[in-house]
Amino acid sequence: MKGFPTTIAIDGPAASGKSTLGALLAESLGYLYFDTGVMYRAVTLAVIEGGLYVEDEQAIGELAKSIRIDVQPPSVDDGREFDVLLDDTDVTREIRKESVNEHVSTISAYAIVREEMTAQQRRIAKENKVVMVGRDIGTVVMPDADLKIFLDASVEVRAHRRYQEMINRGERPDYDAVLRSLINRDQIDTNREIAPLKPAEDAVVIHVDCLGIQQVLSKAKELVKNV
Ligand code: CDP
């Protein structure tokens, strides 16, 4: 029994519903919602726009140290939870594009990139009551988090979810390509040497295949009450 949790970590594979849960849970508690994936996506966008080779770990590390990523309250009413700024430019939509999806897992496996992002995430966790969402929040970024949740779901359910999200954004995705991309990302995220995707030993794992978001949210709220 630790008392009411003020630091909550939510981890899980791509499109498992972490971001939706994280945003709703943070809202219900009045905490900051912080989606760490956007930081890795912003670095990846900077790499692509800067014309760097995705394999050039050293140059990418230097770039990660030199850019400024900010996450701020939303300035546009298009359903976004926040604005993501890359050196003062709004990149909230660009970080979701296909070329970013394709390279983000390779780039976020690099040690210097992770060091930079982890340091910033820890600072945010120290300064706020926070629901932080990612792959390594319970294991590396906030190993002392008061509550750790790991969402798990089959890759098919996740692919359908991501496919639907893309349709809702007005895109015309190919389901098989979405599925292949998730399998590839899972593979890299799970097998990388540094901070691989896995539940912390003290995380509560929720299997969400057969659960709607409201059911997942009420399970999470129960956990918050009973930490
Ligand atoms: O939204 P989605 O689940 O597709 O992915 P995301 O949370 O935006 O994260 C994109 C990628 O960033 C992941 O596939 C990981 O490679 C990386 N990431 C990470 O390494 N560590 C985190 N804490 C968050 C994301």
Side-chain angles (χ1 to χ4, degrees):
M1 184 78 176
K2 292 181 188 166
F4 206 74
T6 57
T7 46
I8 300 175
I10 304 179
D11 291 300
S16 54
K18 318 175 288 292
S19 310
T20 312
L21 172 65
L24 291 173
L25 190 60
E27 193 185 10
S28 76
L29 294 168
Y31 289 7
L32 176 74
Y33 162 57
F34 196 85
D35 176 2
T36 58
V38 302
M39 299 183 81
Y40 293 96
R41 287 176 175 275
V43 176
T44 304
L45 183 68
V47 168
I48 295 167
E49 289 187 341
L52 299 185
Y53 287 111
V54 173
E55 291 75 25
D56 192 344
E57 181 168 356
Q58 206 186 338
I60 291 173
E62 290 306 315
L63 179 80
K65 284 188 203 161
S66 71
I67 55 178
R68 187 189 161 88
I69 302 165
D70 287 307
V71 181
Q72 296 180 351
S75 62
V76 183
D77 188 15
D78 63 357
R80 63 177 63 179
E81 297 285 346
F82 40 69
D83 286 353
V84 182
L85 304 184
L86 174 59
D87 292 331
D88 294 328
T89 303
D90 185 339
V91 294
T92 314
R93 286 188 76 88
E94 283 84 346
I95 60 170
R96 303 284 163 197
K97 65 186 184 183
E98 198 41 49
S99 54
V100 173
N101 288 341
E102 202 181 311
H103 298 303
V104 64
S105 287
T106 304
I107 288 168
S108 50
Y110 294 150
I112 319 178
V113 174
R114 298 210 72 81
E115 242 168 62
E116 281 297 310
M117 301 302 120
T118 301
Q120 296 191 37
Q121 291 157 14
R122 287 191 176 139
R123 181 177 47 74
I124 291 161
K126 233 187 205 161
E127 291 168 358
N128 297 279
K129 290 182 176 176
V130 69
V131 178
M132 195 170 275
V133 173
R135 301 288 184 291
D136 60 341
I137 309 306
T139 50
V140 174
V141 179
M142 307 197 303
D144 297 329
D146 299 326
L147 173 62
K148 300 177 185 178
I149 297 174
F150 190 94
L151 293 191
D152 211 357
S154 69
V155 73
E156 289 80 12
V157 165
R158 292 186 283 121
H160 277 291
R161 181 172 305 177
R162 188 48 46 98
Y163 176 79
Q164 198 52 52
E165 278 170 18
M166 294 166 89
I167 301 240
N168 295 346
R169 283 204 299 266
E171 297 167 27
R172 297 170 62 191
D174 170 45
Y175 173 78
D176 289 334
V178 173
L179 179 65
R180 275 198 306 276
S181 157
L182 287 187
I183 292 171
N184 180 46
R185 222 137 50 86
D186 282 356
Q187 210 266 339
I188 302 175
D189 292 347
T190 311
N191 294 305
R192 70 183 174 215
E193 233 161 80
I194 309 165
L197 169 68
K198 64 171 182 198
E201 270 174 25
D202 50 351
V204 180
V205 179
I206 305 179
H207 293 277
V208 299
D209 268 4
C210 302
L211 300 177
I213 181 60
Q214 287 307 328
Q215 288 167 299
V216 180
L217 179 63
S218 62
K219 272 184 188 277
K221 284 182 173 170
E222 273 306 304
L223 293 171
V224 168
K225 272 196 250 156
N226 296 317
V227 165

